[in-house]
Amino acid sequence: MNMEDDEGHDGFAAEKTVTPALLALHPFSKFVVVSVGSQLRVFNLLEKCAVDSEDINSQSCHVDAIKTITFSKDGGLFASAGDDKHVKLWDTDTWRCLRTVVATKKISASSFSSDGKWLLYADKFGVVYAISTEYVKDPLAGPADPGQPVSLLAHCCSIITSLKCSADGRYIITADRDFKIRISIFPKNPLMGAHEIEGFCLGHTSFVSCVAVVNNNLTSQFLVSGGGDGTVRLWEVETATLLDTVDVYEKITIANSDVDNTAVQLPAITCIAVSNNASLVAVGLESLDGVIILGLDIKSKRLRFLQKFLLEDHYCPTSIQFDRNGWLWLVAGAAQRTEAGEEKATSWVKVVSISSGDAILLESIDPASLPGGTLLLEALDGTDSDVKKALALADAANMAVKEQLSKKKYTNEHRELRKRLRNDKKLQKGM
Amino acid sequence: MASGSKKGQHPRKRFYRARAHSNPLSDSQFPVPVSPAHMDWSDHFPAFFKSNITAAPVKKENLNGTCSEWSKAKGVEGDSKCSSASIIDVSVRKAEGLEICKKIQAFGDEEPKVHFADIGCGFGGLLVKLSPMFPNTLMVGMELRDKVSEYVKDRIIALRKENPGQFQNISIIRTNAMKYLQNYFQKGQLQKMFFLFPDPHFKERNHRRRIISIALLAEYAHVMALGGILYTVTDVEELGEWMKSCLEAHPLFEEVPLKKQEADPVVGLLKCATEEGQKVERNGGKTFYSVYCRVLASSAGA
C-alpha cells in the first residue's frame, strides 16, 4: 500500500462532481443568496430585483463549486468559498468583491466571528484559518502581514463539515467527519491561533453533517446538530453536554411502515435550521421529499419530534434557513460538472410558513406573496425549466456528500486481498 | 490473527512481526467508544473494578457497530456523567493564579480512572517499568498497529499470571490516538502523557502526521490535568527540535525546570525503558528530550 497514495484520501470516496445548492439569508432579510455550482445568485428583497454586480457575474467569480456561503451577523459582509480554493469576501452594499484569498486546499465551511472582524474558513483537511475583514491590502505591508490567513486550529485530518461562531463571540464550533463537534475558545488575538479547547460534543455515531447555533438571550449557549446517524441532537456549548437526542429516522419509519427498515446505512440529516425565536428546528433528511420540524424548548432543554411535511415529489432540500418573520426558506438543487467541463446547475427555491399552535401547520407561500414574486424565483432558480432533473440532481448531491463523509467499509476479504497485494509483502515472499 | 503465545505464556516477538509504520490518517477497523462515558475500563483493570460487578453487563454498540470484548458499556447514561465532569472542571478554572498541581478527583461514584497514557506504546516496555513504580495508578498504552498491540496484550496477561497481584494497573488499547483520544479520556483526566520515539515522518508533506504538532497539542492539553506532565524523547535531532518548538509555542505548556526533571524518577526511564530506547543506546545514539507541564494560559499574550 503506497502511503503517498493515501495522502489526503484516507477512506474518502472518489469525488463526485455533484454539489448541493446552498441558500443564505441576510440577517435583516435584505438579500437572499443561492449558490449553485460556481454561480452566485443574489436577490435584493427590499428593492425586489436581482443583484447584477460586475463581480458576481464576471468570469472570474468562482470557477468551481461553491461549498459554503455565509453572511456576517450585521449583514454588512458576505463570504463564499469552495472547490476553487478561493475565499471571497463581499461588501453587501455594493456586492463588490473586497478580497479574494487563495487557500491551499478546498474549503468546506466558513463563518464570520460574531463581531464581524474575522472570517473563519475550514478546509477539507480539517484546518481552520482566520483572515481579518478589516485589513485592506497595503502594497507597503511588511512580512508580518496581518492580512494573511492564520491557522487557528485543526481537527486531525478530518473534513470539517460545519463551522460556526457562537453569538456571544466566546466560542468556535467545528464539526467533522469523525463524529465530533469541537468547542474551542475564541482567542483574544486570533493571529496567535486558537489553542484552548472548551470541550467536545461526543454522541453522534456517524459523521456530523450540520450544526446550527441557537439564538437566545440567555448566558448559556446552545447548539443543534444533525448527523449521518439520522439523529438531531441538542447540546449545551460551555459544558459540551448532550441534552437531548431525536432519532428522526426512527420516528418517521414508525409512522410509515412501508419504508424498508433493513437499510444498512441510515439516511443522513442533510441540513438544519433554527427559528429566530428558538422554538423550532427544521431539518432535511436524505431522500425525504420534504422537511421535518422539531420543537425546541430551551428552558427544559428538550428537543422533540413534531412532524414530517412532504412538499413535492422528489423535492429534497439541500439547504434551509429561517428568516426573521418565521418563514422557512428552502432550496433543492445541485450542480454537476460534466466530463467536458461544462456545468449544469439547477435549483428550486420554496418558502413555507410554519405556525405552531395546538397543531403544527406548514403552508407554502405563494410566489406572488414573496418580495419580488416571480422575479425572485427566476433570479434564484435560473432559467432551466427541467424541474424534475433539478430535483433528481439534488438528491444525488446529498448522496454524494454523504458518500464523501462516510468511512469506506471494506469487507474482511477485501482487506486481506489488499494486504496480500502490499509491496512489502511481495518482498517478503522473495526472501 | 497469529497469536504466538499459548494463553498465559510470554509472547515471542517473532510471531508478531509487523511493519514499522502504520498510516495514522487511514480509517482502520477497530471499535471506538462513542464518548469517554461509554468506555468500560473494567475489562482492562479487573482488579480495580471488582466491587462494580453488577448484573449482566449490557452490550452496547461502539461507533463501528461492533462489540469489543475490551469495551462493553456499563449502561450508565452518558449525559449525567458528562455533566458531573464539567462541574469539577469549572472549579479548577476558577482557581487561576494559584500554584495548581491538583490531582483531578474521580467524578461521581469515585470510579478509578486512567491517569497515565503512553501514546504509541510499541511493545509496552515503558508500561511494564512504570507499573511497579505507581502501583495504584491506572495506565494505558495506545498503539495503532494490530499485531503489536496484540503482543502487548499477551505480554500483560502473562505478566499478571506470573506475578499475582502485580501489573494489574496497566493495559493496552489498539486505537488511533491522533483521531480518537477524546473518545477515551475526559477533560483534565490524564496526569502524564508519554510520546517515546515517535515516528519522525521525515518528508515535509508528511509532517502533518507527526504525533506532536501545535494543533494536536491543544487536544493533549485538553485531556491533561493542570500540572500534568508531557514527556517526549527521540533520537532524531530534527524531530526533537520540532517537538520542543511546538511545545514552546503552545500557550498551555511550559517547560519543566531542569532541577525538577532531574528529581522526576520517570525521566530516567525515558531513555532505556523501551525497546526502541535500548536499541538507540546500543547503537550509541543521542537522545533529545522535552518535558513540559500543562499550565493555564497566561493572561499576557494569547
Side-chain angles (χ1 to χ4, degrees):
Chain A
M1 180 164 61
N2 193 347
M3 286 219 271
E4 274 74 78
D5 283 347
D6 278 6
E7 192 79 344
H9 287 292
D10 39 90
F12 299 176
E15 254 188 71
K16 297 248 175 88
T17 47
V18 190
T19 314
L22 300 172
L23 180 135
L25 281 170
H26 185 278
F28 302 109
S29 296
K30 284 189 189 172
F31 299 97
V32 56
V33 180
V34 166
S35 75
V36 200
S38 61
Q39 297 168 38
L40 270 180
R41 299 171 183 170
V42 187
F43 193 85
N44 187 328
L45 292 169
L46 295 181
E47 292 174 20
K48 304 190 170 78
C49 60
V51 169
D52 223 337
S53 100
E54 196 185 294
D55 293 334
I56 300 254
N57 294 326
S58 76
Q59 289 300 312
S60 60
C61 196
H62 287 283
V63 298
D64 204 342
I66 296 171
K67 288 288 167 70
T68 173
I69 52 175
T70 183
F71 278 96
S72 61
K73 198 160 139 193
D74 67 0
L77 294 170
F78 177 81
S80 60
D83 285 355
D84 62 355
K85 305 183 190 174
H86 288 188
V87 181
K88 287 185 179 285
L89 186 62
W90 304 83
D91 175 321
T92 59
D93 282 328
T94 58
W95 283 99
R96 299 306 303 266
C97 177
L98 293 171
R99 254 186 99 181
T100 300
V101 172
V102 181
T104 49
K105 304 267 187 255
K106 295 181 181 181
I107 292 121
S108 56
S110 65
S111 172
F112 283 93
S113 61
S114 65
D115 60 9
K117 293 189 179 162
W118 301 91
L119 171 61
L120 276 57
Y121 61 91
D123 68 20
K124 291 178 63 180
F125 284 79
V127 185
V128 177
Y129 297 92
I131 51 170
S132 164
T133 57
E134 296 172 319
Y135 172 75
V136 174
K137 193 165 179 185
D138 176 3
L140 302 171
D145 184 356
Q148 285 308 302
V150 164
S151 169
L152 276 188
L153 60 95
H155 283 228
C156 176
C157 298
S158 194
I159 299 179
I160 289 186
T161 53
S162 187
L163 165 61
K164 297 276 187 283
C165 292
S166 66
D168 61 358
R170 282 195 287 160
Y171 303 110
I172 302 172
I173 297 150
T174 40
D176 69 16
R177 177 185 176 245
D178 280 297
F179 320 173
K180 297 188 182 41
I181 300 168
R182 170 171 150 174
I183 314 288
S184 311
I185 293 179
F186 198 99
K188 289 191 197 86
N189 182 2
L191 292 176
M192 307 292 286
H195 299 295
E196 209 166 339
I197 298 174
E198 183 65 57
F200 281 90
C201 296
L202 300 174
H204 275 290
T205 53
S206 182
F207 59 85
V208 182
S209 41
C210 47
V211 153
V213 174
V214 177
N215 277 333
N216 64 308
N217 294 323
L218 310 172
T219 43
S220 282
Q221 299 286 296
F222 298 91
L223 65 94
V224 286
S225 62
D229 52 6
T231 64
V232 179
R233 296 174 193 257
L234 174 67
W235 310 84
E236 181 170 45
V237 172
E238 294 97 329
T239 54
T241 314
L242 176 60
L243 299 174
D244 210 351
T245 303
V246 172
D247 190 335
V248 167
Y249 179 61
E250 193 188 70
K251 290 276 191 259
I252 60 174
T253 47
I254 287 171
N256 181 4
S257 49
D258 297 335
V259 177
D260 180 13
N261 289 0
T262 57
V264 174
Q265 266 207 315
L266 297 168
I269 305 288
T270 53
C271 47
I272 193 166
V274 184
S275 64
N276 268 36
N277 59 5
S279 65
L280 295 173
V281 175
V283 297
L285 184 70
E286 185 191 316
S287 300
L288 178 75
D289 1 342
V291 71
I292 289 169
I293 305 296
L294 305 154
L296 174 62
D297 185 347
I298 286 296
K299 291 220 173 73
S300 64
K301 301 184 180 179
R302 299 220 64 112
L303 198 57
R304 62 194 176 101
F305 179 90
L306 289 180
Q307 206 164 332
K308 163 183 94 170
F309 290 103
L310 294 175
L311 289 171
E312 179 128 9
D313 248 13
H314 303 299
Y315 189 91
C316 295
T318 47
S319 182
I320 54 180
Q321 191 175 339
F322 280 96
D323 69 15
R324 302 194 128 210
N325 305 325
W327 284 357
L328 178 66
W329 293 65
L330 312 100
V331 68
Q336 185 165 43
R337 204 159 263 278
T338 64
E339 270 161 30
E342 276 170 21
E343 190 180 67
K344 293 187 176 185
T346 41
S347 67
W348 189 1
V349 171
K350 275 188 182 296
V351 184
V352 299
S353 87
I354 303 176
S355 48
S356 48
D358 291 326
I360 299 289
L361 285 174
L362 184 143
E363 263 178 63
S364 233
I365 306 279
D366 196 296
S369 317
L370 293 173
T374 43
L375 217 62
L376 163 71
L377 297 178
E378 266 169 33
L380 299 179
D381 295 344
T383 46
D384 192 324
S385 53
D386 196 343
V387 152
K388 282 229 169 74
K389 204 167 68 170
L391 302 182
L393 216 52
D395 202 14
N398 282 332
M399 302 287 284
V401 169
K402 172 177 167 163
E403 206 173 327
Q404 196 185 61
L405 295 177
S406 303
K407 314 233 170 186
K408 274 189 114 155
K409 290 201 164 77
Y410 292 114
T411 58
N412 272 327
E413 294 81 30
H414 191 128
R415 267 182 283 138
E416 290 307 312
L417 176 69
R418 283 167 69 120
K419 278 188 187 167
R420 263 179 270 133
L421 296 175
R422 247 170 30 195
N423 287 335
D424 58 331
K425 290 285 183 192
K426 286 180 185 159
L427 281 174
Q428 266 184 24
K429 276 192 192 157
M431 290 183 343
Chain B
M1 206 148 14
S3 108
S5 75
K6 301 196 177 86
K7 205 67 188 194
Q9 273 190 1
H10 271 279
R12 308 287 297 279
K13 278 196 196 157
R14 80 164 82 109
F15 297 117
Y16 296 82
R17 276 289 160 243
R19 307 162 75 205
H21 307 279
S22 214
N23 187 352
L25 306 182
S26 73
D27 297 326
S28 323
Q29 289 286 104
F30 45 77
V32 176
V34 172
S35 77
H38 289 80
M39 180 66 189
D40 187 347
W41 295 100
S42 60
D43 268 350
H44 288 263
F45 308 104
F48 285 78
F49 285 81
K50 261 196 280 242
S51 52
N52 284 9
I53 295 174
T54 49
V58 176
K59 266 200 177 178
K60 227 179 185 180
E61 277 177 282
N62 293 310
L63 288 180
N64 286 9
T66 58
C67 296
S68 153
E69 42 183 64
W70 285 96
S71 53
K72 294 187 287 241
K74 280 170 121 183
V76 175
E77 268 316 296
D79 322 348
S80 53
K81 269 212 168 168
C82 288
S83 10
S84 58
S86 61
I87 293 168
I88 305 275
D89 172 64
V90 164
S91 60
V92 169
R93 283 180 66 81
K94 280 188 179 153
E96 212 168 320
L98 304 174
E99 231 244 321
I100 299 155
C101 194
K102 272 189 188 170
K103 192 166 147 179
I104 299 285
Q105 304 293 326
F107 312 136
D109 49 356
E110 284 139 43
E111 197 178 83
K113 297 241 180 244
V114 171
H115 285 309
F116 295 1
D118 184 356
I119 309 297
C121 65
F123 292 95
L126 179 69
L127 289 172
V128 170
K129 289 265 163 41
L130 279 177
S131 173
M133 284 172 72
F134 302 88
N136 292 318
T137 303
L138 297 185
M139 16 186 131
V140 87
M142 297 184 127
E143 173 56 52
L144 185 59
R145 295 169 287 178
D146 54 3
K147 291 224 171 67
V148 176
S149 57
E150 195 71 16
Y151 171 91
V152 179
K153 183 170 159 191
D154 290 340
R155 186 177 179 185
I156 293 175
I157 290 172
L159 284 169
R160 285 178 180 178
K161 188 164 176 208
E162 283 171 15
N163 307 278
Q166 289 183 57
F167 301 106
Q168 293 294 330
N169 60 338
I170 57 172
S171 188
I172 174 79
I173 299 178
R174 190 214 159 191
T175 189
N176 183 336
M178 280 172 79
K179 281 196 172 184
Y180 302 119
L181 195 67
Q182 307 299 333
N183 294 70
Y184 292 95
F185 304 117
Q186 288 160 332
K187 186 170 181 174
Q189 181 173 339
L190 299 178
Q191 291 164 1
K192 290 195 197 296
M193 281 187 85
F194 297 93
F195 298 86
L196 269 47
F197 301 96
D199 192 329
H201 292 294
F202 291 108
K203 293 185 193 168
E204 219 176 287
R205 66 170 168 199
N206 285 344
H207 282 184
R208 68 196 177 97
R209 299 188 195 185
R210 287 183 164 173
I211 195 92
I212 299 280
S213 67
I214 297 238
L216 280 169
L217 282 175
E219 296 212 10
Y220 304 150
H222 185 252
V223 294
M224 285 183 76
L226 280 174
I229 315 280
L230 188 147
Y231 303 82
T232 78
V233 68
T234 179
D235 57 329
V236 178
E237 185 163 8
E238 188 266 317
L239 181 65
E241 278 165 15
W242 163 285
M243 295 198 287
K244 195 175 238 29
S245 67
C246 288
L247 285 160
E248 268 306 308
H250 202 282
L252 301 179
F253 286 100
E254 214 172 70
E255 186 160 27
V256 172
L258 220 57
K259 279 221 166 94
K260 272 199 172 162
Q261 283 191 39
E262 283 162 14
D264 186 344
V266 170
V267 172
L269 286 184
L270 298 183
K271 225 183 348 189
C272 57
T274 58
E275 284 78 357
E276 192 67 37
Q278 286 158 10
K279 185 164 72 175
V280 168
E281 268 202 324
R282 276 199 302 275
N283 298 340
K286 264 190 85 177
T287 50
F288 307 91
Y289 300 71
S290 290
V291 181
Y292 276 71
C293 181
R294 163 62 160 111
V295 297
L296 285 174
S298 55
S299 43

